Amino acid sequence: QVQLAESGGGLVQAGGSLRLSCAASGSIFSIDKMGWYRQAPGDQRELVAMVTSGDSTNYADSVKGRFTISRDNAENTAYLQMNGLKPDDTAVYYCYAVVTTTPGRKFQYWGQGTLVTVSS
């Protein structure tokens, strides 16, 4: 079993910054990809940022240039630095990871979510 523990959400004013973290623990052989989705009330869950084991990254167009995702492989942890936050960034952010628990066995995991609220 793998758990994703995420933190770093909170209330911030427009233009401010937050740093989210997501730490994977449990039976982990390797992590193929790790990142965040977000969901605002009434909206679909959307990809925010993702980083692969090869350090390639994907970002939603709406956050490019403002958000940066990184990972610490030794700690099985990913970080999302969010700068220049806007009210439209307000959402619950869910950590997501594809984890190989034993060779040949891959599973998807979700964190519990952390609320980011950006006030104007």
Side-chain angles (χ1 to χ4, degrees):
Q1 187 69 34
V2 172
Q3 296 82 41
L4 302 179
E6 60 180 304
S7 62
L11 175 64
V12 66
Q13 300 211 158
S17 297
L18 287 172
R19 191 190 194 205
L20 306 184
S21 64
C22 180
S25 62
S27 181
I28 300 171
F29 182 79
S30 63
I31 299 177
D32 184 52
K33 60 177 65 175
M34 200 169 186
W36 278 265
Y37 287 74
R38 68 186 181 188
Q39 188 167 22
D43 291 341
Q44 293 185 322
R45 187 171 296 186
E46 64 174 350
L47 174 70
V48 179
M50 195 72 59
V51 60
T52 71
S53 60
D55 290 328
S56 64
T57 57
N58 290 315
Y59 296 95
D61 287 342
S62 60
V63 308
K64 286 180 180 177
R66 299 187 296 120
F67 292 10
T68 302
I69 190 167
S70 61
R71 65 186 295 173
D72 184 334
N73 293 328
E75 298 294 330
N76 291 322
T77 301
Y79 303 93
L80 184 66
Q81 181 66 45
M82 305 186 295
N83 298 327
L85 284 162
K86 305 174 180 179
D88 285 348
D89 295 318
T90 296
V92 177
Y93 286 68
Y94 295 94
C95 183
Y96 170 85
V98 177
V99 178
T100 296
T101 57
T102 60
R105 302 201 72 195
K106 294 185 176 183
F107 298 92
Q108 300 176 88
Y109 295 93
W110 291 93
Q112 79 280 6
T114 185
L115 177 62
V116 172
T117 303
V118 184
S119 65
S120 59

